[in-house]
C-alpha cells in the first residue's frame, strides 16, 4: 500500500504531516480554459488542516471545475495544486491514484449504487483498495454509526430518504480515511430541515476527525452555518476571501453582496421603490456593524445623545462564528437638516458603516 494511506483509526483520520502551516490544499495561479471560456482564471487558495472552507459563486463561475481539478478528474492548464504538500498537477495518472484516496467526494445527487446495500455502498471504496471483506464491513458499520444510520446497513438506497442517502454518501466518502472532503452542492437537493441535519453532521465529522472540508455551494446558509472561511469566485477568479463573519458583515465585491442578499436584511422593496435621491421628510440609512463593535447598546446611546433622532425600519442581528453581525435600516427626520449627518457621525464614530440610501415621504 502507498505511504500516503495511513493505517489510522477514525480518530487518526487526518494523518500528521510536516506541512508548511499545516496546509492541506494550496492552489497557486490555477488556470483551466474550455475553448475561449476561462473556467479558472488564476485561482490561488489555501485550506489548513481541520478548516471548513466555503466556495460560493453564481452558476458557471467555475466551482465544479475547481473541485474536478482538485481531485484530479480534470487537469489544470497551468498552476500548482498541492494536496498535503504534493503538487498533483505534476503527477502521472498512476501516481494520482493513491492521492485521490486522500480525498473524499460528496455529490448533490448522492451517486449511490442502487443494486448494493447501504453497507456495501459504504464499503465499496475499500474493495477497490483490496481491504478484506470482514474489515470492509466492520469499517462500513463503524461509519454508519458515525452518520447515524447503523440501523439501515442492510437496506437498499431506494428505501432511504434524500437526507439518509446523503448520510450514506458521506459515510462512503470517509471510508478510505481521507484528509480532505470535497463537497459539491451536497445539500442542494435537500429540504431546509434535512440540510441543517446534514450540515450538523459535516461539522461533527470535521471536529471529530479533524477533517478539512471544501464546500462548494450556491446556498449562503450552508456557508453561514458551518464554514470558517469563504472564498467568492466569479468568472474563474476569487474576488474576495476571508473569515465568514467578516465577509458576511462587510462584502466588498458587488457579486458577494448580491449572493448574500438572500440572507442579509435588505430594505423592503415597497420602501426602496419609493425612495427619492434628493428630498423627503426622512432620510433612510443603512447601518452595518459586526464583531466587538456590535456588542454595545448602540441605539440606546444614540437615543440618549440625539433624542427623537430616528426610528427603526427594518433589520436585525445575526450571529456567525459566535460574532454578532448586525444590519439595520433607520429613518432619520430631516426637519432639522443637519440631523442625518449628526446621526451618521455618531454611528461612524462607533465603527458602524453608514450609508444614506435616499429620502422617504
Ligand atoms: N467540460 C466542459 N467543456 C466546456 N465548457 C465547460 C466544461 N466544464 C465547464 N465548462 C464551462 O466552464 C465554466 C465553469 O463551469 P463550472 O461547471 O465549473 O461552473 P459552476 O460554478 O460549477 O456552476 P454551477 O453552479 O451551475 O454548477 C462554465 O462557463 C462552463 O460552461
Ligand atoms: Mg457546479
Amino acid at each position: 500500500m502507498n505511504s500516503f494511506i495511513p493505517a489510522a483509526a477514525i480518530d487518526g483520520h487526518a494523518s500528521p504531516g510536516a506541512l508548511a502551516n499545516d496546509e492541506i490544499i494550496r492552489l497557486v495561479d490555477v488556470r483551466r480554459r474550455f475553448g475561449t471560456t476561462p473556467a479558472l482564471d488564476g485561482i490561488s487558495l489555501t485550506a489548513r488542516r481541520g478548516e471548513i472552507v466555503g466556495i460560493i459563486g453564481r452558476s458557471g463561475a467555475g466551482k465544479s471545475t475547481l473541485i474536478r481539478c482538485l481531485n484530479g478528474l480534470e487537469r489544470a492548464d497551468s498552476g500548482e495544486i498541492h494536496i498535503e504538500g504534493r503538487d498533483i498537477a505534476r503527477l502521472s495518472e498512476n501516481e494520482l491514484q493513491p492521492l485521490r484516496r486522500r480525498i473524499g467526494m460528496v455529490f448533490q445527487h448522492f451517486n449511490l449504487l442502487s443494486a448494493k446495500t447501504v453497507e456495501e455502498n459504504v464499503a465499496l471504496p475499500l474493495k477497490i483498495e483490496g481491504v478484506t471483506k470482514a474489515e470492509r464491513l466492520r469499517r462500513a458499520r463503524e461509519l454508519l454509526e458515525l452518520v447515524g444510520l447503523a440501523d439501515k446497513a442492510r437496506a437498499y438506497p431506494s428505501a432511504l430518504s434524500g437526507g439518509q442517502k446523503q448520510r450514506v454518501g458521506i459515510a462512503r466518502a470517509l471510508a478510505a480515511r481521507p484528509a480532505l472532503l470535497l463537497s459539491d452542492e451536497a445539500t442542494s437537493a435537500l429540504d431546509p430541515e434535512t440540510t441543517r441535519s446534514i450540515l450538523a453532521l459535516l461539522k461533527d465529522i470535521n471536529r471529530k476527525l479533524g477533517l478539512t472540508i471544501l464546500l462548494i455551494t450556491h446556498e449562503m446558509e450552508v456557508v453561514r452555518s458551518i464554514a470558517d472561511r469563504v472564498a467568492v469566485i466569479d468568472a474563474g477568479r476569487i474576488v474576495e476571501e476571508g473569515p465568514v463573519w467578516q465577509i458576511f458583515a462587510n462584502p466588498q465585491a458587488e457579486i458577494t453582496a448580491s449572493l448574500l442578499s438572500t440572507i442579509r436584511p435588505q430594505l423592503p422593496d415597497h420602501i426602496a421603490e419609493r425612495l427619492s435621491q434628493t428630498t423627503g421628510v426622512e432620510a433612510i440609512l443603512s447601518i452595518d456593524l459586526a464583531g466587538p463593535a456590535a456588542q454595545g447598546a448602540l441605539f440606546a446611546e444614540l437615543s440618549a445623545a440625539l433624542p427623537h433622532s430616528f426610528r427603526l425600519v427594518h433589520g436585525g442581528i445575526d450571529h456567525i462564528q459566535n460574532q454578532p453581525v448586525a444590519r439595520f435600516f433607520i429613518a432619520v427626520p430631516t426637519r432639522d437638516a443637519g440631523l442625518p449627518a449628526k446621526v451618521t457621525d455618531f454611528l461612524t464614530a462607533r465603527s458602524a458603516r453608514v450609508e444614506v440610501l435616499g429620502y422617504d415621504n
Side-chain angles (χ1 to χ4, degrees), residues 34 37 39 57-66 68 74 185 218:
F34 295 107
T37 309
R58 54 165 79 106
S59 186
K63 305 181 296 295
S64 296
T65 305
L66 180 63
R68 286 202 303 274
E74 185 101 64
E185 303 283 6
H218 67 272

Side-chain angles (χ1 to χ4, degrees), residues 281-310:
V281 298
E282 287 179 319
I284 303 294
L285 276 56
S286 68
I287 303 167
D288 281 277
L289 73 173
Q295 260 135 14
L298 189 72
F299 289 121
E301 288 171 23
L302 177 57
S303 268
L306 296 166
H308 310 293
S309 62
F310 74 99

Side-chain angles (χ1 to χ4, degrees), residues 72 77 84-85 88 112 129 134 146 162 176 200 310 326-327 354 358:
D77 297 331
E84 291 191 292
I88 67 166
L112 303 179
E129 272 188 40
L146 180 75
F310 74 99
R327 182 163 165 81
V354 182

